[in-house]
Amino acid sequence: MTEAALLSSISSAVTVKGATKIVGVFGDPIAHTLSPKMHNFAFAQLNLDFIYLPFLVHRENLKSAVESIRNLNLAGVNVTIPHKEAILPYLDELTPLAQAIGAVNTVWNRRGKLIGHNTDSPGFLTSLKEDGKFDPRNKRAVILGSGGTARAISAALLESGIKKLVIVNRTFERGQTLVSQLKKFSQQPEIYAAKLSAEILREELRNSDLFLNATPTGMDTTALAFQAEKFLSPHLFVFDALYAKATPLLLAAQRAGAAYLGGLGMLIRQGALSFSLWTGVEPPVNFMRQSLENK
Ligand code: NAP
């Protein structure tokens, strides 16, 4: 490489300066995350002096990691598996939406005050609307999982006028806790919890219009939930929060003749909302989408 070519390649790379604002994502595992790629591409396109970094945070280190947002003057972070609920007590303030959902995926450092918000819930709804194939109003849904993502998606479904919501989870008690919180959110729909088993999935999916996966199990083809293929049929709409294009569940939905949607649109939309919170700038959604097209 000539000296001129070398200099030009250096100048087009991310430049971190003394005043560069740092944001990132706390999670465990974290190596799979696409968020740094999406946000750093968007910062570069808008010429914003920000950088987005992945942080591997084990459960036992979450409290000190949250303190470091203030101590290291990070502008904010996203929070992912498994910290979305556990982070609540360590924050200074929650937005009404994060409070109602009981899960935080975005923290904003406002002059040393750590504010927890949830962009997963509106991000999910926007991506469903953008896709345009399924309207949850007056429909029946089965959601697999009871963690932070299941909370956000459940709240979005209640807001959209769902008629019935069944929470199927490996740990029954966790599902029950979520159901009692959702009932405070809205009294209208029929909501109950069930323990994950093949029989329960078969029975509940027979009487449902929508099946949503809000667990990380999609990469494990032997997981009980993903024997779901046996229970899928063309009358169902299937959503997988995982953002790989071809998860085992989505492939099973395709084979069963069911319409389906993956989690990539939700990832982009929740990220766009976090982006505008941290930067105060209109999110460049098309650039964010473009950054993930050839992931
Ligand atoms: P979380 O709070 O840790 O909850 C995980 C849930 O998955 C729990 O209900 C857990 O059940 C269940 N689970 C875990 N392993 C399981 C297994 N082997 N079999 C059955 N159930 C299992 O995690 P989260 O933050 O909600 O994230 C869930 C997934 O959603 C992750 O894969 C994440 O990447 C994805 N996600 C995608 C987007 C997007 O924008 N597309 C946004 C957020 C999250 P127990 O209660 O029994 O432990």
Side-chain angles (χ1 to χ4, degrees):
M1 192 184 267
T2 63
E3 196 179 344
L6 182 64
L7 278 174
S8 118
S9 76
I10 291 170
S11 65
S12 65
V14 173
T15 317
V16 179
K17 301 188 284 278
T20 300
K21 293 192 176 70
I22 302 168
V23 289
V25 54
F26 289 178
D28 180 12
I30 202 64
H32 67 287
T33 182
L34 297 178
S35 294
K37 189 174 181 185
M38 175 170 77
H39 284 283
N40 287 324
F41 187 75
F43 294 147
Q45 296 305 313
L46 298 194
N47 224 356
L48 293 174
D49 193 11
F50 276 76
I51 186 165
Y52 188 109
L53 300 170
F55 295 101
L56 175 64
V57 175
H58 298 309
R59 277 181 206 272
E60 62 276 20
N61 297 328
L62 180 61
K63 186 169 189 268
S64 60
V66 174
E67 282 162 7
S68 70
I69 300 173
R70 216 185 332 254
N71 295 341
L72 300 176
N73 195 31
L74 307 189
V77 291
N78 282 134
V79 182
T80 189
I81 190 169
H83 304 310
K84 288 181 183 183
E85 293 162 81
I87 197 169
L88 266 67
Y90 307 136
L91 298 172
D92 299 319
E93 204 177 301
L94 297 175
T95 61
L97 184 65
Q99 180 88 57
I101 292 172
V104 160
N105 78 320
T106 306
V107 177
W108 174 34
N109 181 357
R110 198 181 60 199
R111 293 181 295 280
K113 197 173 200 184
L114 302 184
I115 300 162
H117 185 44
N118 193 300
T119 68
D120 277 338
S121 193
F124 163 73
L125 262 195
T126 306
S127 93
L128 196 62
K129 281 184 191 149
E130 244 169 12
D131 181 60
K133 291 199 287 283
F134 187 85
D135 177 1
R137 185 160 300 280
N138 286 323
K139 302 287 193 338
R140 303 158 302 173
V142 172
I143 183 160
L144 187 64
S146 294
T149 308
R151 282 172 175 270
I153 290 176
S154 301
L157 291 174
L158 295 190
E159 192 194 318
S160 311
I162 200 94
K163 186 168 74 178
K164 178 182 169 190
L165 183 58
V166 185
I167 309 287
V168 178
N169 199 44
R170 181 179 60 179
T171 310
F172 177 60
E173 296 70 26
R174 202 172 171 197
Q176 269 185 319
T177 306
L178 174 54
V179 166
S180 44
Q181 283 169 345
L182 289 172
K183 282 187 170 161
K184 281 187 224 151
F185 202 71
S186 169
Q187 288 290 336
Q188 284 300 1
E190 182 187 357
I191 314 175
Y192 58 89
K195 180 165 171 51
L196 176 61
S197 72
E199 294 68 36
I200 281 293
L201 273 183
R202 179 177 294 110
E203 185 55 32
E204 294 298 345
L205 288 182
R206 194 179 296 145
N207 300 305
S208 183
D209 309 297
L210 172 63
F211 178 43
L212 309 105
N213 173 42
T215 77
T217 56
M219 295 304 163
D220 174 7
T221 47
T222 62
L224 174 62
F226 293 93
Q227 297 167 20
E229 180 159 10
K230 298 174 199 157
F231 322 129
L232 298 180
S233 55
H235 76 275
L236 276 171
F237 185 80
V238 177
F239 173 80
D240 196 342
L242 294 173
Y243 39 71
K245 272 191 185 129
T247 67
L249 179 61
L250 295 182
L251 291 171
Q254 197 177 32
R255 286 192 294 270
Y260 58 89
L261 175 66
L264 197 63
M266 176 177 170
L267 178 76
I268 294 164
R269 286 298 178 173
Q270 62 77 31
L273 293 168
S274 303
F275 183 101
S276 68
L277 206 60
W278 298 324
T279 62
V281 168
E282 189 67 31
V285 177
N286 287 338
F287 285 135
M288 296 172 97
R289 188 173 289 114
Q290 196 185 323
S291 73
L292 301 181
E293 262 163 16
N294 302 313
K295 65 187 169 65

